[in-house]
Amino acid sequence: MEVRLVLKFLSRLKVVVWETTEAKPKNRFVDPQIIPLLKRANLMIAPSKIIRENIIKTYQYKGNIEILPFWIEWKFDNSQKIHHRTNKILYIGRLDTDKGFDCLFSALRLIKNDLNIHVDICGRGNQKLIEEMCSDLDNVFVHGWTEENKVEALTREADYMILPSKHEGYQIGRASCRERV
């Protein structure tokens, strides 16, 4: 469905607004059907230099590519400056196997919670799959999609932000916690 909408859009216009997490060959988000239609585009927009390079390599796109970085509108209220150590780790982002949860959960299994670590995971995506991946870990709490006030409270309580993604250099979750530091 999405590909057909993009193809219909491209058949009428000469500008493509492109926002992607990764434009590498064999990535599940890359559809080869779009490559011939990109000849009609006179502009593509990428969220980073690396993705710009991937667009050129993967799609053989020779037109103009502008960088428009991702942004976060949520403003963290850091008026409470005092923070006592909690051993809590927070993940905010898409709930997907691309995000490296297998590596995170393997590491947690290795330390067997000797450090009394508590991990909160928030985001949209396949919550059930992530819960299954960590079902043997009683120190991991998968909240799924969470209201802003709860995310703010979890952020305030956390000692660390974790981003186990295997291929992203600049994650949205990291940006959302930047004001806390």
Side-chain angles (χ1 to χ4, degrees), residues 6-19:
V6 170
L7 297 176
K8 188 175 181 179
F9 173 77
L10 286 173
S11 68
R12 295 182 182 171
L13 301 174
K14 291 187 177 196
V15 174
V16 174
V17 175
W18 195 272
E19 178 180 2

Side-chain angles (χ1 to χ4, degrees), residues 7-39:
L7 297 176
K8 188 175 181 179
F9 173 77
L10 286 173
S11 68
R12 295 182 182 171
L13 301 174
K14 291 187 177 196
V15 174
V16 174
V17 175
W18 195 272
E19 178 180 2
T20 181
T21 56
E22 185 179 39
K24 287 187 174 180
K26 298 180 185 171
N27 182 292
R28 66 190 173 119
F29 299 114
V30 171
D31 190 322
Q33 294 178 32
I34 205 164
I35 293 172
L37 296 169
L38 292 177
K39 293 177 185 172

Side-chain angles (χ1 to χ4, degrees), residues 6 22 33-34 52 55 73 78 86 88 117 128 135 176:
V6 170
E22 185 179 39
Q33 294 178 32
I34 205 164
R52 179 185 182 278
I55 288 170
E73 293 182 22
N78 62 356
T86 62
K88 289 187 177 185
I117 293 172
K128 185 174 181 166
S135 62
S176 68

Side-chain angles (χ1 to χ4, degrees), residues 74 122-124 143-154:
W74 174 56
C122 301
R124 292 183 188 207
H143 301 277
W145 176 247
T146 309
E147 295 297 323
E148 186 176 310
N149 60 347
K150 184 172 181 180
V151 172
E152 188 173 322
L154 290 169

Side-chain angles (χ1 to χ4, degrees), residues 99-154:
K99 296 298 185 172
F101 287 107
D102 56 335
C103 297
L104 171 63
F105 299 149
S106 291
L108 291 171
R109 286 182 189 98
L110 286 173
I111 61 172
K112 298 179 178 122
N113 209 15
D114 291 339
L115 303 174
N116 195 26
I117 293 172
H118 173 111
V119 180
D120 289 301
I121 297 174
C122 301
R124 292 183 188 207
N126 194 340
Q127 181 176 349
K128 185 174 181 166
L129 174 65
I130 304 306
E131 288 172 339
E132 288 171 5
M133 291 174 69
C134 66
S135 62
D136 61 317
L137 296 168
D138 53 357
N139 60 331
V140 177
F141 303 88
V142 183
H143 301 277
W145 176 247
T146 309
E147 295 297 323
E148 186 176 310
N149 60 347
K150 184 172 181 180
V151 172
E152 188 173 322
L154 290 169

Side-chain angles (χ1 to χ4, degrees), residues 44-62:
M44 289 185 75
I45 299 175
S48 71
K49 290 179 184 178
I50 291 172
I51 292 177
R52 179 185 182 278
E53 292 169 14
N54 289 346
I55 288 170
I56 293 168
K57 289 177 191 171
T58 303
Y59 299 109
Q60 300 88 40
Y61 183 71
K62 294 177 174 47

